[in-house]
Amino acid sequence: MEITTKEEIRESPNRYLRKSLFVPLKRCRTGGTTGTPLVFYHNYFMTRQKERAYIFDIWKAVGYKPFDYRIIVRGNGNSRIYYSWFENALIIPQNCINEANRKELETKFSYSKGFYLHVYPSTLKIIINFFGDTLFKTFKIKGVLAGSESFPIFQMEYYETYYGLAFAHWYGHSEYAILARYCSVCKEFHFYPTYGTAALLGSGKEKQILATSHNYYGTIFHNYLTEDLAIDSETECPIDNFPKVKTIIGRKEEYFIDKCGEWKAFGPYLFGIHSKFWEMIISIQFTQNAVGVLHVRYVPSNSFSKNEFYEFLNLRFSQLELEFEEVHFIEGTKRGKHKYFIQNLEITDKWNN
């Protein structure tokens, strides 16, 4: 079996690129688990619409219909709370979840007609902790739409039982090659066979996920090594006969402590970035050894601008003091993975539900 890696696409991008004069392509990038951005192309008009159709199919499991009202607490790309008419959604950057905005946030979340809450699994914890159990239970949350991070099943079941929440959870990635939905019946992940083809590589318990995209134009991903891991399924599900896996081992929930002593989810701050920021660096890693402080190690690229890089991160992590260190190399884990965040402070019991 011929396997395609990120490194091969970086070294020979045109070899994996299929163009047409009639199909506009959009240039995209992703950080990936290696810490080095992967630049790829997709059909500007079709890929996102296809993605949205499948995502809506996942969300309908909790009753969501297109254009239903959502409150979104995910990426941290803005410093203000605002409404998106196109999405019919209230966008709340994680930085805005603070005491100064408490009255406004309580009003927004107390919307009498109810709403769908669109979050990272880690930001859900932040929201519950901010409002407290008693107030949070009064919100009319029709369903929780949770993606972009691993969501421990025991944790999801705890939220379902204790807060009465219904979840739509899924696995996907920026390359638009494969997509899987979490099934509440068998408690496993079903891959959409019409979206892309997923396969597992390896003989151990934890196997590597290979992805073959069904997109015809743009960067062609064939037996593409996603660098995510999965545990194969050993059961059948009465819902459908889609290919499925028991567990997907992806990006985990991670937290830091800001200057005010508040815990914040790390994922939205870094993985919500979709800009030329990733072109300025080859690799980056954040470490917290003290409350309110993050140490930032980075390997600059040829496009690096120190002033722009420092200004961007200081604005994004405005509730922290950043210490910058330029290095030549950032070591990976024993498996060769890149670790974006290292937390050396103790996490209190309230985060271990």
Side-chain angles (χ1 to χ4, degrees):
M1 179 189 299
E2 183 179 352
I3 297 172
T4 305
T5 66
K6 286 181 171 64
E7 191 58 36
E8 289 172 331
I9 295 175
R10 290 191 192 99
E11 291 179 354
S12 306
N14 291 331
R15 176 187 172 191
Y16 300 93
L17 187 62
R18 183 181 292 152
K19 297 180 180 180
S20 170
L21 292 175
F22 307 101
V23 178
L25 299 180
K26 183 177 180 180
R27 186 174 185 267
C28 297
R29 63 183 69 82
T30 178
T33 54
T34 61
T36 304
L38 173 68
V39 174
F40 66 97
Y41 294 84
H42 69 82
N43 186 325
Y44 184 79
F45 292 118
M46 296 301 296
T47 306
R48 290 299 299 273
Q49 283 74 11
K50 169 187 170 182
E51 172 88 357
R52 176 157 291 214
Y54 280 87
I55 290 296
F56 282 171
D57 186 68
I58 294 171
W59 292 357
K60 77 177 183 182
V62 293
Y64 178 88
K65 298 184 295 296
F67 212 64
D68 279 349
Y69 180 58
R70 285 178 289 154
I71 292 180
I72 302 176
V73 186
R74 283 171 53 84
N76 196 58
N78 207 300
S79 59
R80 63 182 179 87
I81 300 171
Y82 65 97
Y83 173 77
S84 168
W85 181 90
F86 181 77
E87 295 286 346
N88 188 26
L90 185 71
I91 315 296
I92 304 178
Q94 193 180 184
N95 266 349
C96 294
I97 300 180
N98 54 49
E99 288 301 320
N101 295 320
R102 178 173 288 277
K103 187 174 180 180
E104 178 184 2
L105 291 171
E106 289 183 0
T107 300
K108 299 295 188 185
F109 275 80
S110 298
Y111 183 59
S112 61
K113 294 182 179 180
F115 59 92
Y116 289 90
L117 184 58
H118 189 179
V119 293
Y120 285 93
S122 55
T123 52
L124 178 59
K125 282 187 177 182
I126 297 297
I127 294 167
I128 294 173
N129 182 66
F130 177 77
F131 289 114
D133 284 356
T134 301
L135 181 58
F136 182 81
K137 286 182 177 181
T138 67
F139 299 149
K140 295 182 179 179
I141 301 174
K142 297 178 179 180
V144 178
L145 318 173
S148 301
E149 288 176 338
S150 296
F151 205 155
I153 305 306
F154 74 89
Q155 190 180 86
M156 200 185 311
E157 291 176 341
Y158 171 82
Y159 289 146
E160 289 172 344
T161 302
Y162 189 71
Y163 298 108
L165 299 174
F167 286 90
H169 178 48
W170 66 97
Y171 162 81
H173 56 170
S174 300
E175 294 91 325
Y176 304 108
I178 52 175
L179 181 67
R181 61 176 176 80
Y182 172 74
C183 176
S184 60
V185 175
C186 67
K187 310 295 184 182
E188 297 186 350
F189 286 87
H190 296 225
F191 284 94
Y192 285 95
T194 51
Y195 185 99
T197 301
L200 298 183
L201 177 68
S203 56
K205 180 180 179 181
E206 296 180 357
K207 298 178 174 63
Q208 299 187 70
I209 300 177
L210 296 180
T212 296
S213 171
H214 290 179
N215 298 325
Y216 194 77
Y217 293 106
T219 301
I220 304 303
F221 297 99
H222 183 75
N223 288 333
Y224 170 65
L225 193 63
T226 64
E227 298 178 349
D228 288 328
L229 302 175
I231 297 176
D232 207 353
S233 173
E234 298 178 351
T235 65
E236 295 183 354
C237 180
I239 298 299
D240 56 49
N241 60 354
F242 289 1
K244 66 190 187 84
V245 296
K246 181 178 181 180
T247 304
I248 295 174
I249 306 167
R251 192 166 71 236
K252 296 181 179 179
E253 302 171 22
E254 296 173 307
Y255 303 89
F256 62 81
I257 310 178
D258 67 15
K259 293 177 181 177
C260 298
E262 294 293 331
W263 284 91
K264 295 292 174 65
F266 174 78
Y269 282 84
L270 186 64
F271 302 113
I273 300 174
H274 298 283
S275 68
K276 67 176 184 179
F277 166 84
W278 292 108
E279 295 182 359
M280 290 193 289
I281 55 173
I282 295 174
S283 189
I284 191 168
Q285 186 177 75
F286 295 76
T287 303
Q288 181 160 48
N289 299 309
V291 171
V293 182
L294 281 184
H295 187 78
V296 185
R297 301 171 68 216
Y298 64 91
V299 180
S301 71
N302 293 332
S303 303
F304 182 74
S305 168
K306 184 174 182 178
N307 289 338
E308 187 175 352
F309 179 76
Y310 281 30
E311 181 180 358
F312 180 86
L313 286 184
N314 277 316
L315 179 62
R316 196 167 185 85
F317 290 90
S318 58
Q319 296 172 311
L320 292 155
E321 176 185 343
L322 299 184
E323 302 172 341
F324 293 95
E325 179 187 4
E326 182 177 324
V327 297
H328 297 293
F329 175 75
I330 296 177
E331 62 280 1
T333 64
K334 292 180 179 179
R335 288 178 174 172
K337 295 273 188 177
H338 175 79
K339 192 167 180 59
Y340 281 107
F341 181 65
I342 299 173
Q343 176 56 273
N344 290 325
L345 300 181
E346 183 179 355
I347 297 180
T348 54
D349 289 341
K350 65 180 179 180
W351 299 101
N352 294 331
N353 290 331

